[in-house]
Amino acid sequence: MTQVKTTCPYCGVGCGVTATVKAGTLCAVEGDLEHPANYGRLCVKGSALHETLGHHGRLTHPRVDGVNVTWDAALSTVAQRLNSVRSAHGNHSVAAYLSGQLLTEDYYVANKLFKGFLGTPHLDTNSRLCMASAVAGYKRAFGADAVPCNYEDLEEAELVVLVGSNLAWNHPVLYQRIKVAKERNPLMRLVVIDPRVTDSCEIADLYLGIKPGSDAYLFNGLLVWMAQHRRLDTVYIERHTEGFDDALAAAQQSAGSVADVAAACDVDPERLETFFYWFASQLHVVTLYSQGVNQSSSGTDKCNAIINCHLAGGKVGLPGAGPFSITGQPNAMGGREVGGLANQLAAHMDYHTPGAIDLVSRFWATENLTPTLPESPGYKAVELFEAIERGEIKALWVMATNPVISLPDAARVRAALEKCPLVIVSECAAHTDLLPYADIVLPASGWSEKDGTVTNSERRISRQRGMLAPPGEARHDWWIICEVAKQLGFVEAFNYAHPWEIFDEHARLSGFENDAIHATPKRLFDISGLVGLGRAGYDALAPIQWPVTKAAPNGTARLFEEGEFATANGRAKLLAIVPQWPEQALSAAYPLRLNTGRIRDQWHTMTRTARAPRLMNHRAEPFMDVHPDDAHAAGVTDQGLAVLTAAKGEFRARVRIANAQRRGEVFVPIHWTDCFTQQARSSALIDSITDPLSGQPESKHGAVALAPLRVEWQATLLIADTAVESTPWCTSAYWTRIPMHGLQRWQLADIQPVGDWLAQLSAWLPGPVSVLSQDAASGRLRAASVENGQLRWWLMVGLPSELPGLAWLESRFNETTLSDTHRRRLLAGCDDGAVDTGPVVCSCHQVGQTTITNAIRAGDISIEALGARLACGTQCGSCIPELKSLIEEERPHARAKQTPNTELA
Ligand SMILES: Nc1nc2c(c(=O)[nH]1)N[C@H]1C(S)=C(S)[C@@H](COP(=O)(O)OP(=O)(O)OC[C@H]3O[C@@H](n4cnc5c(=O)[nH]c(N)nc54)[C@H](O)[C@@H]3O)O[C@H]1N2
Ligand SMILES: Nc1nc2c(c(=O)[nH]1)N[C@H]1C(S)=C(S)[C@@H](COP(=O)(O)OP(=O)(O)OC[C@H]3O[C@@H](n4cnc5c(=O)[nH]c(N)nc54)[C@H](O)[C@@H]3O)O[C@H]1N2
Ligand code: SF4
Ligand SMILES: [Mo]
């Protein structure tokens, strides 16, 4: 048994993980007590990491034109085809689309190959959909893409403002850290600014449920208010900034009075002014912002509207103060550091950085090569796919992202890929919606197998360490890229034996000619202090925050402490912001505002988190959160099925009527793909409108219509993994697949009635059919098939609310031979008598909503009482907000507690 320290591959918090490996299996994970991001904590996704591993469902062979081939054949085919596209159509006809989930070393060699050696600027990343506006905002204000703050600042602040961030679900460990800090410091306040009431409101002192897209009005209003109430730091403004007067004048134009701002944001003026007062009267304020700000057609301006207020109040470069863009992906930062965005060159240098092209060419020794480095930026993600659609780009290599799901106007992306003559995909999972478009599929190693570094939201570089062998022929991304580069003739430049050598080169480039003589201003991203670690030093590297230089060998906790910025004159810039509304317009045909985002237990397209059945239980099906009035107007009901329609796409899901929604707005999750459901890709509803500065899509502001999906029947089918050969029921108007242990659960519904269910079952399913119960009048039916003593499938026609507890049935599927008692009980139509415990609220301990409401009704009306009885909320704590709202809802029905309460024990 060995224990290995590594880093969680999900969100940008970058938690340290201690993994236990026994006999070639990673059997347990726990939080690394020493890692400064989490000090031992993990959220529910992190703590289920070991449950997502295993060789099943992984890509294990390189594939060319649908045929498995050897690596030699795959690599030479990639090289040949890339070369022939280049010689026929020029260097700029090839492109790469990368991901914030690659390791820094993978990213570095991909950027070096495409920009440096293939001479194409068209290399962009999914960080465009995620962090591009935050990057552009920081660069405009500070002269560099540099997050000034760190996680301790969140604990030291007197006021933390969450803007467009559902931290409790999406960066749970940071939320828990704030929660603890708030318990220690009762004066600390938390404000949440979000059109939805989210779980992040649990510990909020103030919630502003603003109209979507109105953030720039709000922060312009705050700037004006600070000026009117003499809450500016005039000394700081004078000494360390420029542009204040223009910024204030622009703010006054759009946000003259509290009443104007309150009207624009559609919030109560008193609450708004309370926020203004709190922000203005505290020095130690952290504003933490995320996709509710970034994913907008004016996202960059919104970031700068926030940064303006921090600069004007001198609330930056201090402990507990600063504008903090929280990153989404585990290595969003590392990608930005190597230059993975199409407008960047390398090591935080842009094409227009004076001398950068020459410097990078000399460093990479490409100056004598044809082609040389491109001279100007390439296409940003949405433009890149438009260029593919036009036929201008003819070869695309996608690594570690799924553009047919995550890019807006997803149908158009599919059509573009269909047309693209050469699509290469590096991927870990055997089934994704992208793979059918690939001419060449390259199997990549994944977390626990690959070795390298990632940078988290607070600039902290940590090691991800490889512990397991990749399955089959899967190889590390850096290796695949370097082997292709060598086949293309660039042997010397890509001759690395281990990722530490790549890291070393990246560190050298960051410090190359980065001194007072060569670079004014100096490049802030400098990790030259990590040059020369060697293999042993790299393997032992402890988490460290950049810059790491001779002057700061132990890293740098906080930036801009002296008020010296990375701009030419050292001053930070305030920007004049003219607020803009979302560009996707509402209309009579599409009257509802569509908001899209994340759920607590799933990661993006679910290729990893859906492998752990317990993570499927919190939200098992695709859903839409709808305000009760909108539901009523559209004639849809809670738990009923409905369709959202946009100009270019459709979304079918189960309705959740939610008071947390503003009227006129619908929220849908981003996670479901065609691998999991009939039609619930959120990006199909979003138009490809982007921020003109950052190129980030307006993914939070679609326009849709809502209507019921009128179905004749609904059914639940459980089927053993071994029994699924084809899935003919996928022609139904609605289906969704929910992985369980050893079986799949399908929720089905259709608009066509089924005349004869028995005939239908024989057509759909293998094995003999046993009817367990049938009620012709109501159309209810339960049937199952037992073959060779094993339960093969189980079906219930009826509403999902009538489901029995599925745990008993799940265990029966996993019995190699059904015992006689179980077989008899099953065929008598019985289960263990337990009712379905409802959606799982506490994923750590798998406690369902019904169990919890029963306990509350029986008198357990506190988190502590529920925890003592059911264990819910006692591990990662992410479900506590939901427990609290259940207590609120059920409290009126609770009866005075009789002690001891034996009924539910
Ligand atoms: N569980 C889980 N965690 C994740 C991920 C995941 O897939 N699952 N993904 C990771 C990634 S890559 C990212 S980028 C982060 C994203 O983390 P977040 O940004 O927190 O995630 P989202 O849910 O996309 O959106 C945040 C909030 O923005 C709000 N919002 C929408 N429109 C507006 C608006 O106009 N103004 C304001 N102020 N708010 C608005 C939404 O209602 C939503 O609650 O999460 C990371 N963490
Ligand atoms: N409507 C809407 N759209 C959005 C968003 C939104 O809020 N609303 N959010 C946007 C944001 S912030 C983001 S970050 C994107 C995320 O969207 P994507 O990046 O498209 O989603 P993922 O599922 O993370 O895709 C990663 C893929 O890489 C594979 N993979 C995992 N590890 C590795 C590896 O080491 N190597 C290789 N080669 N492959 C690997 C996974 O199996 C998976 O298929 O979605 C964006 N799109
Ligand atoms: S908070 Fe983020 S990094 Fe930490 S365990 Fe959860 S998903 Fe992983
Ligand atoms: Mo993201």
Side-chain angles (χ1 to χ4, degrees):
M1 187 184 95
T2 50
Q3 290 211 311
V4 182
K5 286 189 175 198
T6 185
T7 311
C8 175
Y10 298 125
C11 84
V13 178
C15 294
V17 173
T18 305
T20 306
V21 182
K22 225 194 250 169
T25 318
L26 202 166
C27 53
V29 289
E30 51 193 46
D32 176 355
L33 292 166
E34 286 162 7
H35 197 292
N38 57 321
Y39 295 110
R41 292 185 184 85
L42 287 182
C43 76
V44 59
K45 293 183 299 303
S47 57
L49 269 167
H50 56 298
E51 298 164 42
T52 64
L53 306 177
H55 291 189
H56 63 282
R58 286 287 301 274
L59 270 177
T60 50
H61 280 92
R63 214 156 64 209
V64 173
D65 301 329
V67 179
N68 286 353
V69 296
T70 62
W71 268 110
D72 279 348
L75 295 168
S76 58
T77 314
V78 172
Q80 269 164 20
R81 292 195 189 173
L82 281 178
N83 262 343
S84 63
V85 171
R86 281 168 73 218
S87 50
H89 305 283
N91 298 326
H92 291 213
S93 63
V94 305
Y97 186 53
L98 313 184
S99 158
Q101 291 165 74
L102 289 170
L103 304 181
T104 300
E105 293 73 7
D106 303 328
Y107 239 131
Y108 177 87
V109 288
N111 193 53
K112 180 178 176 183
L113 173 63
F114 278 79
K115 291 181 187 158
F117 288 77
L118 295 178
T120 173
H122 305 310
L123 173 140
D124 206 36
T125 144
N126 68 353
S127 282
R128 184 69 60 195
L129 319 177
C130 179
M131 302 315 307
S133 296
V135 173
Y138 275 144
K139 280 163 102 169
R140 287 205 296 182
F142 301 152
D145 171 19
V147 179
C149 317
N150 61 43
Y151 297 161
E152 277 175 14
D153 289 332
L154 290 167
E155 296 164 331
E156 286 175 32
E158 292 296 325
L159 173 66
V160 174
V161 188
L162 302 184
V163 195
S165 153
N166 184 7
L167 203 71
W169 279 12
N170 301 327
H171 302 93
V173 163
L174 282 188
Y175 192 76
Q176 294 300 326
R177 284 182 67 164
I178 295 176
K179 199 168 167 177
V180 172
K182 211 163 171 286
E183 278 157 15
R184 279 203 207 112
N185 173 11
L187 296 178
M188 180 180 181
R189 290 194 177 111
L190 182 80
V191 176
V192 174
I193 303 176
D194 192 310
R196 294 188 302 149
V197 181
T198 63
D199 272 13
S200 301
C201 295
E202 183 213 343
I203 54 164
D205 299 280
L206 181 68
Y207 164 68
L208 296 175
I210 61 169
K211 180 171 174 178
S214 64
D215 302 76
Y217 285 98
L218 194 146
F219 283 91
N220 269 359
L222 172 58
L223 187 66
V224 172
W225 197 93
M226 288 164 73
Q228 282 168 349
H229 294 81
R230 300 183 171 279
R231 301 289 177 145
L232 299 168
D233 186 337
T234 45
V235 176
Y236 194 89
I237 294 174
E238 182 65 31
R239 288 206 187 135
H240 301 300
T241 73
E242 62 185 18
F244 173 76
D245 292 340
D246 290 347
L248 181 62
Q252 281 162 339
Q253 286 280 318
S254 63
S257 69
V258 171
D260 291 346
V261 180
C265 301
D266 191 21
V267 291
D268 174 59
E270 261 176 52
R271 293 169 80 97
L272 182 68
E273 194 158 14
T274 303
F275 166 61
F276 287 176
Y277 174 73
W278 286 359
F279 186 100
S281 49
Q282 289 291 354
L283 184 58
H284 301 279
V285 181
V286 175
T287 307
L288 185 146
Y289 50 99
S290 189
Q291 302 314 336
V293 170
N294 295 344
Q295 288 173 343
S296 147
S297 51
S298 55
T300 309
D301 279 353
K302 287 173 182 166
C303 293
N304 286 107
I306 293 171
I307 298 172
N308 280 350
C309 296
H310 277 269
L311 290 170
K315 302 174 214 285
V316 66
L318 294 167
F324 195 163
S325 148
I326 186 89
T327 55
Q329 298 179 89
N331 201 28
M333 288 284 252
R336 286 145 71 172
E337 286 150 26
V338 304
L341 290 159
N343 47 311
Q344 303 175 326
L345 191 49
H348 268 212
M349 284 172 276
D350 287 346
Y351 287 91
H352 62 73
T353 309
I357 296 183
D358 170 60
L359 183 151
V360 176
S361 308
R362 282 185 290 114
F363 185 83
W364 281 343
T366 57
E367 73 269 37
N368 298 323
L369 268 184
T370 28
T372 49
L373 272 184
E375 284 181 352
S376 52
Y379 291 133
K380 303 183 172 107
V382 170
E383 297 167 341
L384 178 65
F385 282 81
E386 285 166 0
I388 296 170
E389 187 182 39
R390 285 197 301 277
E392 186 183 322
I393 283 176
K394 301 203 182 285
L396 176 73
W397 190 346
V398 181
M399 303 179 200
T401 178
N402 190 340
V404 303
I405 296 300
S406 50
L407 271 172
D409 198 353
R412 189 169 167 197
V413 171
R414 287 177 186 229
L417 285 173
E418 192 84 64
K419 273 178 58 179
C420 186
L422 176 59
V423 178
I424 306 164
V425 175
S426 299
E427 172 60 58
C428 305
H431 302 284
T432 78
D433 288 7
L434 176 64
L435 288 171
Y437 298 87
D439 302 288
I440 302 179
V441 174
L442 304 172
S445 60
W447 183 83
S448 77
E449 297 151 10
K450 48 198 299 182
D451 233 329
T453 56
V454 289
T455 310
N456 75 1
S457 292
E458 54 165 2
R459 288 172 283 107
R460 195 180 295 279
I461 299 171
S462 298
R463 287 277 277 109
Q464 263 193 28
R465 293 187 172 88
M467 296 155 250
L468 306 180
E473 297 289 306
R475 294 284 184 274
H476 304 314
D477 286 295
W478 69 268
W479 181 89
I480 301 173
I481 298 157
C482 292
E483 291 306 305
V484 167
K486 288 182 205 163
Q487 295 259 351
L488 288 163
F490 312 121
V491 177
E492 216 176 301
F494 290 88
N495 205 9
Y496 309 98
H498 187 273
W500 82 262
E501 299 173 2
I502 304 174
F503 184 80
D504 193 68
E505 183 178 312
H506 167 55
R508 276 190 286 120
L509 175 56
S510 74
F512 188 55
E513 298 180 1
N514 192 13
D515 48 41
I517 308 159
H518 292 90
T520 24
K522 259 172 67 74
R523 302 183 318 260
L524 212 52
F525 174 70
D526 188 336
I527 53 167
S528 52
L530 298 174
V531 171
L533 290 176
R535 168 93 190 246
Y538 178 77
D539 278 342
L541 183 66
I544 188 164
Q545 285 172 291
W546 65 257
V548 190
T549 57
K550 263 204 200 93
N554 300 318
T556 312
R558 196 170 291 109
L559 297 176
F560 315 128
E561 284 177 315
E562 312 296 325
E564 179 74 22
F565 291 87
T567 50
N569 62 8
R571 287 171 177 273
K573 287 196 180 61
L574 286 95
L575 275 291
I577 303 303
V578 181
Q580 312 284 339
W581 288 111
E583 278 190 41
Q584 292 169 83
L586 301 183
S587 62
Y590 304 111
L592 298 172
R593 183 55 79 199
L594 179 80
N595 182 0
T596 66
R598 290 155 173 77
I599 61 171
R600 195 186 70 193
D601 294 0
Q602 287 303 324
W603 178 261
H604 296 172
T605 62
M606 316 204 312
T607 56
R608 288 178 284 169
T609 36
R611 294 163 69 96
R614 75 176 157 114
L615 298 182
M616 289 304 303
N617 294 336
H618 180 235
R619 297 278 186 276
E621 289 182 75
F623 65 90
M624 54 181 90
D625 280 342
V626 182
H627 185 274
D629 292 354
D630 297 321
H632 182 74
V636 303
T637 50
D638 193 41
Q639 297 306 313
L641 294 168
V643 192
L644 292 172
T645 316
K648 293 178 180 160
E650 208 183 84
F651 185 102
R652 298 178 180 193
R654 212 169 280 287
V655 175
R656 292 168 45 96
I657 293 194
N659 284 310
Q661 279 299 117
R662 287 164 50 96
R663 193 184 305 154
E665 294 162 23
V666 181
F667 175 84
V668 299
I670 62 168
H671 306 285
W672 273 267
T673 69
D674 291 357
C675 293
F676 289 94
T677 195
Q678 207 263 350
Q679 185 76 272
R681 289 176 277 116
S682 66
S683 294
L685 304 175
I686 300 285
D687 219 345
S688 55
I689 286 167
T690 57
D691 177 304
L693 297 164
S694 69
Q696 181 154 355
E698 194 182 62
S699 306
K700 289 279 180 276
H701 305 290
V704 292
L706 170 66
L709 182 66
R710 293 189 200 285
V711 294
E712 287 290 327
W713 56 265
Q714 295 205 39
T716 303
L717 170 66
L718 307 181
I719 180 161
D721 283 339
T722 46
V724 190
E725 266 160 26
S726 62
T727 55
W729 48 85
C730 286
T731 51
S732 312
Y734 175 81
W735 61 261
T736 192
R737 177 171 69 83
I738 305 150
M740 297 172 73
H741 286 288
L743 64 152
Q744 308 284 317
R745 166 179 155 202
W746 296 79
Q747 292 303 143
L748 308 172
D750 204 8
I751 45 181
Q752 303 294 337
V754 172
D756 178 352
W757 267 103
L758 293 183
Q760 178 70 282
L761 291 180
S762 309
W764 275 359
L765 292 157
V769 180
S770 307
V771 173
L772 313 178
S773 65
Q774 190 163 21
D775 172 14
S778 66
R780 288 187 178 84
L781 170 84
R782 286 191 190 190
S785 182
V786 178
E787 230 182 345
N788 301 329
Q790 276 184 299
L791 180 57
R792 302 291 303 269
W793 57 259
W794 177 96
L795 176 119
M796 177 193 94
V797 181
L799 294 176
S801 57
E802 293 164 13
L803 275 175
L806 296 178
W808 187 83
L809 282 164
E810 186 176 30
S811 312
R812 301 297 72 76
F813 274 95
N814 289 309
E815 256 170 353
T816 27
T817 315
L818 273 179
S819 70
D820 271 351
T821 341
H822 285 158
R823 188 191 168 94
R824 271 199 307 274
R825 273 181 73 182
L826 186 75
L827 295 183
C830 305
D831 31 62
D832 66 343
V835 286
D836 184 30
T837 55
V840 165
V841 174
C842 170
S843 292
C844 298
H845 294 288
Q846 290 290 291
V847 189
Q849 187 173 326
T850 316
T851 315
I852 295 164
T853 46
N854 287 344
I856 299 169
R857 288 179 177 208
D860 288 329
I861 51 169
S862 69
I863 297 296
E864 293 70 28
L866 286 174
R869 175 175 302 283
L870 305 170
C872 52
T874 55
Q875 193 169 324
C876 81
S878 291
C879 64
I880 290 177
E882 216 164 319
L883 294 177
K884 282 190 180 167
S885 39
L886 287 174
I887 293 174
E888 279 315 300
E889 277 166 38
E890 297 299 326
R891 193 192 295 275
H893 313 292
R895 60 177 157 77
K897 189 156 178 171
Q898 315 272 310
T899 41
N901 181 349
T902 46
E903 271 167 54
L904 290 145

